[in-house]
Amino acid sequence: MYNQNDLEKWMNNIKVTNLVNADVEVVNNTPLVMMGKGRQGAVFQLTNDICVKVFGNTEDCDREYYALSLGQHTSLLPILYGKGPLYIVMEIIRGVDLREYLQSQPLTQALSARLIVMLITFKKIGYERIDHHKRQIYLQPDGGLKVIDVARTIWRDRVYPYPRKLLTSLGEENKAIFMTHVQEMAPELYAEWLHYIRMEEISRQITALLLPEEPDKNSIKNLSNSLLTTADEKNYVNLLQGLVHKVFKEEWIKTMLARGADPETVMAKIDEHWDKLEQDFEERHPEGERHSLDDREHDKGKYSDGEKSRRSKGAKGGKRYSGDRYDDRDRHHNRDRHHDKDRKRAKNKNKKRGH
């Protein structure tokens, strides 16, 4: 084993700095031999079987330690021995990485099967990205696989839904061989991967067309006028009424669901309630009456500008309101119409009686 006191002293004398799109920069003022480095950190040998990976920032260190800890129950990941703010002590993974192996050896169906099992294990561990580059996959003397650098398999907002990095790193020839093996052993998986590959190709073609295109801003500005809705007052009122209805319905549903009500029942009651409001309004204000009110309001000089600004569109058909009450002129107009109807009904009734 290693000496913890010596380790702490050495960690204070190793400086790892992250660079943009490049491997880390390392300053090593210790007797430790660097075994390799990458984008997140550098690895130093502590003993024959144990190494320490030093990171440039705590986020990468915490991420990789967590990812490694998730898979400690499998044989796929190195064994963990300790952790500090910027370092992780773990098992040294030996063997031949897949990149070197494929330079001289064929990709057999047995090896492809092990790669599929590796992806399945990633999924079982809970990794969001089940992908991995071939240089981070090591073949063991017994034919098994081990992987390193798993920090990027977790806490990812967006991932490829197929093992894109693995397939790309294999090269065109071995990628075709691997996909053939997948098709033979897991045809449904092959079909799904092929679907995503095709969707990616189409996405790239679309992007290649859209990126260099410069939109005609003046043309868009002029054409967009057809989408404006507030200039036509009558149309605006209908749209505004629909908006209020929609918001009312959504908020009522939220409230009732929070109380444990059945969503279908709630929606049915809302529609029933709103339909009743509209029906009551239409019964009180027939279509012809509403049109006559609209015509009167649009007569030039009928209302002063101050009166118009105080009036706002209300319910269906463009009824005018003044606060919570109808305009007095509208009420008188409605009353006269009702009186005329009453007199007409009485006259017809008298005729039937022979008067």
Side-chain angles (χ1 to χ4, degrees):
M1 273 307 268
Y2 61 92
N3 184 287
Q4 184 65 33
N5 292 330
D6 289 340
L7 177 64
E8 295 294 339
K9 181 178 65 175
W10 291 332
M11 293 302 97
N12 290 330
N13 287 284
I14 294 178
K15 175 65 175 177
V16 173
T17 304
N18 293 107
L19 302 177
V20 178
N21 296 324
D23 289 347
V24 295
E25 183 179 83
V26 179
V27 176
N28 180 17
N29 295 317
T30 75
L32 299 178
V33 176
M34 186 170 71
M35 302 175 65
K37 64 178 182 176
R39 297 296 177 89
Q40 282 80 47
V43 179
F44 300 86
Q45 184 171 353
L46 285 180
T47 71
N48 289 335
D49 301 313
I50 299 175
C51 65
V52 57
K53 184 171 183 179
V54 185
F55 295 82
N57 63 77
T58 57
E59 181 181 348
D60 285 337
C61 182
D62 293 342
R63 185 198 297 264
E64 179 145 343
Y65 184 81
Y66 179 69
L68 288 169
S69 65
L70 288 178
Q72 288 298 291
H73 63 287
T74 73
S75 60
L76 193 60
L77 303 173
I79 300 170
L80 293 173
Y81 295 109
K83 180 187 180 299
L86 287 171
Y87 69 84
I88 299 173
V89 182
M90 67 184 89
E91 171 192 12
I92 293 177
I93 298 300
R94 302 191 186 278
V96 181
D97 72 62
L98 190 57
R99 175 180 53 182
E100 294 177 344
Y101 179 84
L102 292 177
Q103 289 177 358
S104 60
Q105 302 298 322
L107 178 58
T108 64
Q109 192 173 68
L111 178 53
S112 293
R114 290 188 180 276
L115 291 174
I116 295 173
V117 171
M118 177 194 75
L119 299 176
I120 294 170
T121 304
F122 279 176
K123 194 75 174 179
K124 288 181 178 179
I125 289 172
Y127 291 162
E128 284 131 8
R129 192 191 77 185
I130 61 168
D131 203 2
H132 227 50
H133 196 284
K134 65 180 181 181
R135 69 171 178 269
Q136 297 162 335
I137 303 170
Y138 283 76
L139 281 81
Q140 302 301 293
D142 62 358
L145 300 179
K146 284 192 177 288
V147 297
I148 61 171
D149 296 339
V150 293
R152 298 304 178 186
T153 60
I154 58 170
W155 304 342
R156 305 301 295 267
D157 293 331
R158 295 177 179 86
V159 296
Y160 285 97
Y162 73 100
R164 180 178 181 272
K165 181 175 285 189
L166 174 62
L167 292 175
T168 303
S169 69
L170 288 174
E172 290 302 320
E173 183 178 348
N174 282 321
K175 174 183 175 181
I177 294 172
F178 180 65
M179 287 296 286
T180 300
H181 292 161
V182 174
Q183 185 178 20
E184 294 171 357
M185 294 182 286
E188 291 185 2
L189 183 62
Y190 168 81
E192 184 170 293
W193 287 358
L194 195 62
H195 167 74
Y196 285 127
I197 291 172
R198 287 172 177 166
M199 291 300 101
E200 182 183 352
E201 291 173 353
I202 293 173
S203 298
R204 291 186 181 281
Q205 292 171 6
I206 294 172
T207 302
L209 291 173
L210 293 179
L211 277 181
E213 183 178 307
E214 284 292 334
D216 185 346
K217 296 180 181 178
N218 290 328
S219 175
I220 294 296
K221 181 180 179 181
N222 294 331
L223 291 173
S224 66
N225 289 335
S226 64
L227 300 175
L228 299 176
T229 59
T230 55
D232 184 339
E233 186 177 8
K234 203 167 188 177
N235 182 48
Y236 164 69
V237 169
N238 288 331
L239 293 174
L240 188 59
Q241 180 190 9
L243 174 63
V244 173
H245 184 185
K246 188 71 175 175
V247 172
F248 170 76
K249 188 172 182 178
E250 289 175 351
E251 294 304 313
W252 194 357
I253 289 173
K254 289 179 185 177
T255 301
M256 297 308 291
L257 289 181
R259 296 178 182 177
D262 176 62
E264 295 297 330
T265 303
V266 172
M267 293 178 69
K269 287 184 177 180
I270 291 174
D271 289 335
E272 181 183 351
H273 175 74
W274 197 270
D275 289 343
K276 186 176 184 303
L277 289 178
E278 289 187 340
Q279 184 179 353
D280 290 345
F281 177 80
E282 289 175 356
E283 288 176 353
R284 291 195 307 270
H285 314 289
E287 187 70 23
E289 178 186 333
R290 281 179 274 140
H291 284 311
S292 68
L293 292 176
D294 288 340
D295 294 339
R296 289 213 315 275
E297 186 186 35
H298 283 88
D299 287 343
K300 188 174 181 180
K302 190 69 177 178
Y303 300 123
S304 68
D305 292 339
E307 287 175 311
K308 288 181 180 180
S309 66
R310 289 193 298 272
R311 299 172 190 276
S312 62
K313 286 281 190 173
K316 190 174 179 181
K319 186 68 183 176
R320 268 65 182 176
Y321 293 92
S322 180
D324 292 330
R325 302 183 302 277
Y326 299 126
D327 189 274
D328 288 341
R329 300 180 194 182
D330 295 343
R331 291 205 304 275
H332 291 315
H333 180 78
N334 294 339
R335 183 182 62 193
D336 293 340
R337 287 176 62 89
H338 289 310
H339 288 171
D340 289 342
K341 290 181 180 178
D342 292 340
R343 285 194 295 270
K344 189 174 181 179
R345 281 196 294 268
K347 186 176 181 181
N348 290 335
K349 193 173 181 180
N350 290 334
K351 284 181 179 181
K352 290 180 180 179
R353 292 177 178 177
H355 293 291

